[in-house]
Amino acid sequence: QVQLVESGGGLVQAGASLMLSCAASGRYFSFNHYDMAWFRQAPGKEREFVAHIRGSDGITYYADSVKGRFFISRDNAKNSVYLQMNSLKPEDTAVYYCGGALYVTAYSQQRSYNYWGQGTQVTVSS
């Protein structure tokens, strides 16, 4: 079993930056084998893909809506994945979730991830 805990959310003004963190833990758990992702869910909307980072080689993928503004990274020594969010917009307001799974292929699909955190709220005011 793998536990994921997000942190770093908050209330910021449009144009600001914020960095989210996701700490992973578990017994017999090799974090570097896990592909990790960030998703978000705004009120009244479905959870949507934000960014993904592969465990094997660190290759990253982004949703078009955040490309060039958000950056996902990981520190395998700390069992953590991060989401640096720059130039935040009001439409980025959502609960952000960290997801993980071994060797994901369909990285933008929720069903590809079998471990999820509880989420952290990000609110961007105009």
Side-chain angles (χ1 to χ4, degrees):
Q1 192 71 11
V2 176
Q3 292 80 42
L4 302 175
V5 179
E6 302 97 333
S7 61
L11 171 62
V12 297
Q13 290 189 329
S17 297
L18 206 58
M19 188 168 79
L20 305 182
S21 300
C22 172
S25 62
R27 295 187 68 180
Y28 313 117
F29 168 64
S30 297
F31 180 72
N32 57 303
H33 292 166
Y34 279 75
D35 293 341
M36 303 297 296
W38 288 95
F39 282 69
R40 67 186 181 186
Q41 187 167 18
K45 295 187 177 182
E46 293 188 353
R47 192 175 297 190
E48 65 174 5
F49 168 73
V50 174
H52 171 97
I53 185 166
R54 293 203 309 216
S56 57
D57 54 14
I59 295 293
T60 58
Y61 302 95
Y62 296 93
D64 288 343
S65 59
V66 306
K67 202 171 293 182
R69 299 188 300 123
F70 290 13
F71 300 93
I72 188 171
S73 62
R74 64 191 296 155
D75 185 338
N76 289 337
K78 295 183 178 180
N79 288 355
S80 294
V81 62
Y82 308 97
L83 185 68
Q84 176 66 45
M85 304 185 294
N86 301 324
S87 302
L88 282 162
K89 305 175 181 179
E91 51 264 43
D92 294 318
T93 294
V95 177
Y96 284 71
Y97 296 92
C98 172
L102 288 170
Y103 308 123
V104 169
T105 53
Y107 59 83
S108 66
Q109 301 299 312
Q110 286 188 67
R111 65 177 182 270
S112 298
Y113 303 88
N114 47 355
Y115 298 108
W116 292 95
Q118 81 290 347
T120 185
Q121 176 71 47
V122 173
T123 303
V124 184
S125 62
S126 57

